[in-house]
Amino acid sequence: MEWEAVIGLEIHAQLATKSKIFSGASTAFGAAPNTQACAVDLALPGTLPVFNGEALRMAVMFGVAIDAEIGRKSVFDRKNYFYPDLPKGYQTSQLFHPIVGPGHVDIELKDGTHKRIGVTRAHLEEDAGKSLHDQFPGMSGIDLNRAGTPLLEIVSEPDLRSAEEAVAYVKKLHAIVTTLGICDGDMSQGSFRCDCNVSVRPKGQEEFGTRTETKNINSFRFIEKAIKGEIERQIDLIEDGGRVEQATRLYDAEKDETRSMRSKEEANDYRYFPCPDLLPIVINDDYIDQVRDSLPELPDARHARFMEQFGLGDYDAGVLSAYRNLADYFETVAQVGGDAKLAANWVMGELSKFLNSNDLDIDDSPVKAEALGQLLLRLKDDTINGNAAKQVFEAMWNGEGDADQIIEAKGLKQVTDSGAIEAMVDEVIANATPQVEQYKAAEPEKRGKMLGFFMGQVMKASKGTANPGQVNKLLKGKLDALCD
Amino acid sequence: MSLDRSDVEKIAHLARLQIDEADIPEYTQNLSNILDLVDQMQAVDTSSVEPMDHPTDAVQRLRIDEVSEENQRDKLQSVSPAVDLGLFQVPKVIE
């Protein structure tokens, strides 16, 4: 039987506010335990929440960016459950009147087509603290620094049909929230995490199968693996005559499998009700228009502009526009270097290679965008050739100075003096009798390839500084003359 | 609408309240009375009244996003029964 997967995702994006959603405690990551948990976060008697306006603005930014309905009136509700890292005994969230209503994002599939994915809603809520179970024998340690950090929970429609589509959707949302600057997007620190609802049904069947929810997956790769594994598990189960149980599952990255965390029988009854400690949030059209006017250029728009303005291909434009910092970097290089295609090649080629092998982000690149642009200028005005440019780049990466300093210090200036090049060419030909004989003996159409050896020798003799075009022309002329 | 014994036991469990077996009939009656009162109010025609989200008709004021709280861990943890390495300690809980 042919099966079809149905996937819906819930993404929790930590909003990049300075202070918490309902208190003035800091949200900075990595502080000593409980040093950023104030009386409100600890739910001490007599405290009351005061809502952070910046969390509201960020949520509205997201809503506007995905073309969603914005709740003119949204209300906080209490989601009641007991767990030690939730001191109030309830999480303040939004169930009935979320700040962001239905919207959508478009994802690009491997075959180049686009698919529109519905976003059901996005609501504001507070994060819980952290429980550490391995610290003390028989006891759990509770760190409430994270308690009260603002989250935007983004709920998709069950529109996704494969792990690949799910990852494309998550990446698109990640690009949007980081471009908006409302979330740092750091998945390894839990700033952006994903719960996956997965079910399968025979292809063509209208109604959904029983779904499972896999919680808190924190990398793009794990999302893909967890969903693929869960789809296979459910299909195997049904084909072997079993039934999928509605359950919450945990993804174990080490074993690459999901396992049951709790079944529906033990499912929580959250008894949501409007939070009496907080008043309804009311915003008007002016507020929404102001937020809309403040939006930066979004990844899709930048993608289209890179193709149109710079003549980049679809793929290159997509890669370079997905992240704001990378896109900004590229645009600066293109502007300073005066050649967008060359800039794209260098940013996606040499720079990416160095960043990846050193496990660095674009922000941490020791070669800044202006500096790379200066290097490309020297390549464009023929001061250096491509080979030398790579040497200069490596030296810049190692902090040896700017492009001009390095070109000077290493003597990499391209030799375009035809007399000097001719002398080197003559010397190489004179010292390579066997190769010259082979060249002469070869069929004329095969000689082109054999030129490579001589090119290499001359470039070596010039320490990479000879103008390759000139060398090629001189070599060919002289060698072909020998053949006549 | 009236509750039965198992409803009361479930509500008590969800609220993590330990209740005396002997008191359950009384709780059942009291809680049922509250629901009966709600039922009675349902009889009023409210179709032309817009529901309120809060008893006061005010709207939420917004706080400026500033860190205004200092670290007061020692003071705040002085009322905690068990603390070590800056962490609150609780009986081990793993789901």
Side-chain angles (χ1 to χ4, degrees):
Chain A
M1 185 182 305
E2 210 182 330
W3 296 92
E4 178 180 65
V6 176
I7 303 156
L9 300 180
E10 289 161 25
I11 287 167
H12 287 89
Q14 259 182 25
L15 295 177
T17 54
K18 294 190 207 75
S19 65
K20 293 188 177 175
I21 186 167
F22 299 122
S23 83
S26 170
T27 56
F29 184 82
N34 293 308
T35 54
Q36 291 174 179
C38 71
V40 174
D41 307 326
L42 265 48
L44 293 188
T47 57
L48 281 173
V50 189
F51 179 49
N52 185 340
E54 188 63 5
L56 172 66
R57 198 182 65 84
M58 289 178 168
V60 174
M61 279 178 93
F62 176 76
V64 172
I66 63 158
D67 206 11
E69 289 171 27
I70 306 297
R72 297 298 194 279
K73 179 155 93 172
S74 64
V75 180
F76 283 110
D77 301 294
R78 292 185 178 182
K79 176 181 181 179
N80 298 279
Y81 67 93
F82 284 101
Y83 205 72
D85 57 25
L86 186 78
K88 288 189 294 193
Y90 58 85
Q91 178 191 33
T92 307
S93 180
Q94 296 185 313
L95 180 67
F96 304 108
H97 303 288
I99 180 70
V100 177
H104 56 83
V105 296
D106 293 333
I107 58 169
E108 191 173 347
L109 305 178
K110 284 218 176 77
D111 62 7
T113 59
H114 288 81
K115 180 171 176 179
R116 178 154 287 188
I117 306 299
V119 173
T120 315
R121 55 184 282 149
H123 60 260
L124 284 161
E125 62 184 28
E126 61 185 334
D127 209 345
K130 271 185 188 160
S131 301
L132 305 156
H133 300 298
D134 309 324
Q135 207 105 8
F136 315 104
M139 301 289 268
S140 291
I142 309 293
D143 175 8
L144 294 170
N145 280 350
R146 201 181 61 183
T149 298
L151 297 176
L152 188 66
E153 179 174 337
I154 305 160
V155 183
S156 84
E157 290 289 304
D159 288 346
L160 302 155
R161 291 291 173 271
S162 67
E164 292 78 14
E165 286 185 21
V167 170
Y169 168 80
V170 177
K171 283 187 173 169
K172 179 51 70 73
L173 281 190
H174 189 262
I176 291 172
V177 296
T178 53
T179 297
L180 292 173
I182 63 173
C183 174
D184 70 17
D186 190 337
M187 297 178 83
S188 64
Q189 311 283 28
S191 301
F192 187 88
R193 45 194 202 258
C194 183
D195 301 345
C196 305
N197 292 295
V198 177
S199 66
V200 297
R201 64 183 173 189
K203 200 151 192 168
Q205 179 180 303
E206 193 70 24
E207 73 215 80
F208 295 142
T210 307
R211 68 183 161 90
T212 61
E213 180 180 22
T214 303
K215 288 192 101 64
N216 272 344
I217 316 176
N218 67 354
S219 84
F220 295 130
R221 202 164 58 88
F222 289 159
I223 290 168
E224 181 156 5
K225 290 177 93 169
I227 293 177
K228 273 194 176 141
E230 183 58 17
I231 292 170
E232 274 171 35
R233 190 189 70 84
Q234 291 187 11
I235 292 173
D236 288 350
L237 196 64
I238 298 169
E239 288 188 340
D240 290 348
R243 273 179 44 212
V244 176
E245 299 281 334
Q246 185 165 351
T248 302
R249 303 180 71 82
L250 265 187
Y251 178 66
D252 183 335
E254 263 170 47
K255 292 187 185 142
D256 186 24
E257 63 182 27
T258 64
R259 60 186 150 80
S260 185
M261 199 165 99
R262 56 174 180 253
S263 68
K264 208 203 168 189
E265 279 70 42
E266 311 154 41
N268 288 305
D269 176 350
Y270 292 123
R271 294 150 293 144
Y272 280 95
F273 65 91
C275 181
D277 284 350
L278 288 155
L279 293 159
I281 305 160
V282 175
I283 52 176
N284 57 25
D285 290 349
D286 281 353
Y287 181 92
I288 297 168
D289 288 343
Q290 273 177 27
V291 170
R292 183 175 286 117
D293 291 344
S294 76
L295 288 195
E297 187 179 31
L298 289 165
D300 283 351
R302 209 164 192 184
H303 183 156
R305 182 168 63 79
F306 281 1
M307 289 175 71
E308 198 184 306
Q309 182 183 343
F310 296 137
L312 299 185
D314 192 24
Y315 177 79
D316 290 1
V319 171
L320 291 169
S321 62
Y323 289 101
R324 186 181 183 171
N325 295 348
L326 180 66
D328 289 346
Y329 187 103
F330 158 71
E331 283 210 59
T332 304
V333 176
Q335 199 190 1
V336 175
D339 185 330
K341 283 189 180 164
L342 189 64
N345 287 341
W346 273 79
V347 171
M348 292 172 67
E350 208 66 7
L351 176 71
S352 292
K353 194 174 85 187
F354 273 76
L355 289 173
N356 289 341
S357 61
N358 290 282
D359 203 15
L360 288 177
D361 274 343
I362 188 80
D363 300 337
D364 307 321
S365 171
V367 180
K368 298 298 169 208
E370 290 78 10
L372 179 53
Q374 294 290 344
L375 168 60
L376 299 191
L377 267 184
R378 292 295 161 260
L379 188 56
K380 275 203 54 109
D381 69 11
D382 277 336
T383 305
I384 51 173
N385 60 33
N387 180 17
K390 288 189 180 178
Q391 295 181 50
V392 176
F393 181 82
E394 188 167 356
M396 285 164 72
W397 182 276
N398 294 326
E400 293 173 32
D402 66 26
D404 287 339
Q405 289 167 343
I406 292 164
I407 291 166
E408 189 64 39
K410 291 190 181 286
L412 290 172
K413 210 168 244 179
Q414 182 160 247
V415 178
T416 50
D417 168 2
S418 49
I421 292 177
E422 188 166 5
M424 286 187 277
V425 167
D426 286 341
E427 195 182 334
V428 165
I429 291 176
N431 289 328
T433 317
Q435 285 83 0
V436 172
E437 288 309 317
Q438 280 172 22
Y439 188 91
K440 283 160 75 175
E443 302 288 328
E445 61 268 23
K446 290 194 177 153
R447 285 177 184 155
K449 274 191 183 169
M450 302 179 76
L451 214 55
F453 165 78
F454 298 98
M455 279 290 297
Q457 294 297 308
V458 178
M459 293 311 286
K460 202 171 152 190
S462 76
K463 299 198 178 71
T465 60
N467 179 306
Q470 277 175 291
V471 174
N472 189 293
K473 204 171 153 197
L474 271 168
L475 265 174
K476 197 165 171 348
K478 283 181 185 280
L479 284 167
D480 286 348
L482 290 173
C483 296
D484 295 336
Chain B
M1 181 180 171
S2 91
L3 297 174
D4 62 25
R5 188 184 181 88
S6 66
D7 291 323
V8 173
E9 284 171 344
K10 187 183 172 207
I11 293 165
H13 172 70
L14 285 171
R16 299 296 188 273
L17 291 174
Q18 192 175 22
I19 53 174
D20 222 315
E21 283 283 314
D23 292 334
I24 293 180
E26 190 192 340
Y27 292 140
T28 307
Q29 188 57 51
N30 288 346
L31 288 169
S32 291
N33 288 348
I34 294 171
L35 293 176
D36 289 344
L37 178 67
V38 173
D39 276 345
Q40 204 180 328
M41 291 192 287
Q42 299 281 24
V44 181
D45 179 11
T46 56
S47 55
S48 61
V49 182
E50 202 181 321
M52 295 172 82
D53 298 293
H54 199 273
T56 69
D57 222 356
V59 300
Q60 182 64 44
R61 291 183 59 176
L62 304 177
R63 182 170 57 78
I64 293 170
D65 183 28
E66 282 170 353
V67 176
S68 55
E69 293 290 335
E70 289 172 5
N71 171 23
Q72 300 194 66
R73 184 174 78 183
D74 291 345
K75 232 187 246 176
L76 292 168
Q77 290 191 332
S78 65
V79 293
S80 180
V83 169
D84 196 10
L85 305 172
L87 296 161
F88 294 98
Q89 287 187 312
V90 299
K92 194 152 208 151
V93 272
I94 297 190
E95 259 188 283

